Amino acid sequence: MSHKFELPKLPYNFDALEPFISKEIMELHYTKHHQTYVNNLNKALEQYEEAEKNNDVAAMIALQSAIKFNGGGHVNHSIFWTNLAPVSQGGGKGPNGKLLEAINQQIGSLEKLIETMSTKGTGVQGSGWVWLGYNKSNGRLEVATCDNQDPLSTKGLVPLLGIDVWEHAYYLQYKNVRPDYVKAIWNVVNWANVAERFDKISNKN
């Protein structure tokens, strides 16, 4: 395989999001969970390439779920790390400009968006994600949940802000109380990154 996926560089230290997300969680989440998705994605793609060479359609079909799961895990986490920032670097500081205008017009207010995402994220059964996405077909913001590591693109939306609600994202610190984790994470949301993503995609429409 000519190109192998790699773990992206974390834009801050493991302890930078404390006290809201502990150093222990960040280190485990990044170096173990995300790295495993990357490793397994590369392995599945190598196997797919081999199956393709051999015209082994059955094997190619069988590998689709592994590519979707591990590829989704890699894509989702790569966005997630940039969606967060230490408080000292603007984490938790609300959006402004075009993004805030769109949130106010389409969702009602930033508070309403946070409430909606928190409720939907807390309500995910099992493992998954809650996202703020952009629907290119109608130019509107939408809140959606995805099971397991399904990427938001499977819902036809462009990801802007994602919150990982798998237990590995919070259990060491928040135990089984997912609502406390979801409430805390808003203190380190990197709204500047979300706005940058929004501006980039909305300007293309």
Side-chain angles (χ1 to χ4, degrees):
M1 194 169 70
S2 58
H3 172 76
K4 285 199 172 187
F5 290 95
E6 297 179 351
L7 202 61
K9 182 174 172 56
L10 197 67
Y12 36 75
N13 294 329
F14 291 129
D15 62 355
L17 303 181
E18 290 190 335
F20 308 106
I21 303 178
S22 71
K23 176 183 178 181
E24 186 180 17
I25 285 177
M26 286 298 301
E27 192 165 3
L28 182 67
H29 199 169
Y30 176 77
T31 65
K32 301 299 182 184
H33 291 280
H34 191 173
Q35 184 67 67
T36 298
Y37 295 129
V38 171
N39 293 344
N40 288 339
L41 174 60
N42 287 327
K43 180 180 177 183
L45 289 173
E46 286 176 359
Q47 292 173 336
Y48 187 92
E49 187 176 69
E50 186 64 25
E52 199 171 30
K53 285 179 183 176
N54 296 327
N55 292 317
D56 188 343
V57 177
M60 290 163 65
I61 293 170
L63 286 162
Q64 291 294 321
S65 60
I67 293 170
K68 179 183 178 183
F69 180 78
N70 293 291
H74 175 51
V75 168
N76 292 342
H77 285 88
S78 295
I79 295 168
F80 184 57
W81 308 133
T82 66
N83 277 168
L84 303 176
V87 174
S88 62
Q89 296 175 25
K93 184 179 179 183
N96 51 36
K98 287 174 59 182
L99 175 61
L100 183 58
E101 288 177 17
I103 290 171
N104 289 336
Q105 291 171 4
Q106 300 174 21
I107 297 176
S109 66
L110 178 61
E111 291 73 23
K112 181 67 174 175
L113 171 63
I114 291 173
E115 179 187 347
T116 301
M117 287 189 68
S118 297
T119 299
K120 288 195 172 189
T122 299
V124 169
Q125 293 188 344
S127 302
W129 292 72
V130 60
W131 291 94
L132 173 65
Y134 182 78
N135 188 326
K136 290 194 289 185
S137 65
N138 61 18
R140 295 187 65 83
L141 299 171
E142 294 183 23
V143 175
T145 58
C146 292
D147 295 331
N148 300 310
Q149 291 297 353
D150 291 358
L152 190 61
S153 58
T154 60
K155 299 286 181 82
L157 302 173
V158 178
L160 302 176
L161 169 63
I163 297 177
D164 186 349
V165 292
W166 279 64
E167 280 194 343
H168 67 233
Y170 61 87
Y171 197 86
L172 287 175
Q173 186 171 3
Y174 294 95
K175 304 300 186 250
N176 62 328
V177 191
R178 185 189 285 174
D180 286 356
Y181 157 72
V182 173
K183 181 179 179 181
I185 203 170
W186 293 105
N187 292 283
V188 286
V189 166
N190 184 357
W191 285 106
N193 177 264
V194 182
E196 184 180 335
R197 292 177 180 277
F198 175 74
D199 289 345
K200 185 176 181 180
I201 193 63
S202 60
N203 286 338
K204 290 182 179 179
N205 265 24

